[in-house]
Amino acid sequence: YPKLLLESSEAPEWQLQSHDGTWHRMKQKRWSLMIFYPGDDTPGCTKQLQDAQAHLEELNGLGCDVYAINPADQTSHAAFAEKYGFEFPILTDRGGAVSRQFASTFSIPLKTWVIRTVYLVNPKRTIRLANRGAPATAAIVRSIQALQQATKDGL
C-alpha cells in the first residue's frame, strides 16, 4: 500500500462530479471529510457511509462537508445514494486520478483497487486526520470539535 499523505501536509486540489451531476471541490472556510471506498452497495462500504449519514447533521453543524469517492459511474452512485438515502455527494473519480493523489489506490497488473481511506481536511486545506479503514464517524466528530477548540484557544 502507498503511504498515507501526512497529517499537517497540504491536501491536493480536486474537482469531481457527484451522483446528481453537480460538481464539487474542497471549499475554503469549510472542513472536508473525504471517504475513499472500494465499491457501491457492498457491505463494508454501505456500513461506513451509513455511519457518515447518521452523523451528517452534526458534521454539517461543525462546518464539515462529507464526500464519498470512488471510480464507479454516476448511475451506480445515484442508485447507491437513493437506495440508502445518502444526502452527501458521492463523487465519481473516473480513472482514479484523485484517489491516486490521496494515496488511496493499490495497483496490480491490469487492475487498480481503491483502498478504504479517510482524510479530514481543515478549511486551510491542511490534512488533520489520515486513516486507513473505517474510523467511527463519532470519533471524527470529536476530532473536529477538539481541533476547532484548540484553534479557538490559540493552541
Side-chain angles (χ1 to χ4, degrees):
Y1 285 1
K3 290 186 178 191
L4 288 166
L5 300 181
L6 296 176
E7 292 179 17
S8 79
S9 66
E10 184 177 59
E13 289 192 38
W14 55 269
Q15 181 174 350
L16 293 172
Q17 191 171 24
S18 88
H19 67 280
D20 66 3
T22 58
W23 287 90
H24 297 269
R25 65 177 58 203
M26 224 177 304
K27 297 176 187 137
Q28 295 293 324
K29 300 183 182 176
R30 300 275 303 167
W31 289 76
S32 296
L33 176 59
M34 302 177 67
I35 303 169
F36 294 89
Y37 69 101
D40 289 347
D41 210 10
T42 59
C45 298
T46 300
K47 182 178 177 183
Q48 182 179 21
L49 298 186
Q50 285 175 321
D51 186 37
Q53 179 63 45
H55 291 86
L56 186 61
E57 187 174 323
E58 195 172 7
L59 287 162
N60 287 334
L62 292 169
C64 183
D65 296 320
V66 176
Y67 302 101
I69 303 164
N70 92 0
D73 63 32
Q74 190 175 351
T75 302
S76 175
H77 286 338
F80 186 40
E82 184 176 336
K83 181 175 181 178
Y84 293 101
F86 297 136
E87 298 173 21
F88 48 83
I90 301 180
L91 305 176
T92 296
D93 185 16
R94 286 193 178 95
V98 174
S99 297
R100 279 192 301 282
Q101 283 182 297
F102 280 86
S104 299
T105 60
F106 174 70
S107 295
I108 57 174
L110 305 177
K111 182 72 176 168
T112 298
W113 300 91
V114 173
I115 305 165
R116 190 180 311 282
T117 307
V118 173
Y119 287 99
L120 177 62
V121 182
N122 76 8
K124 295 180 181 179
R125 279 194 30 228
T126 302
I127 296 171
R128 300 303 305 192
L129 173 79
N131 200 316
R132 294 277 189 232
T137 306
I140 294 169
V141 166
R142 288 190 303 274
S143 294
I144 295 169
Q145 290 168 332
L147 289 163
Q148 288 177 346
Q149 185 62 44
T151 302
K152 184 173 126 183
D153 291 344
L155 302 175

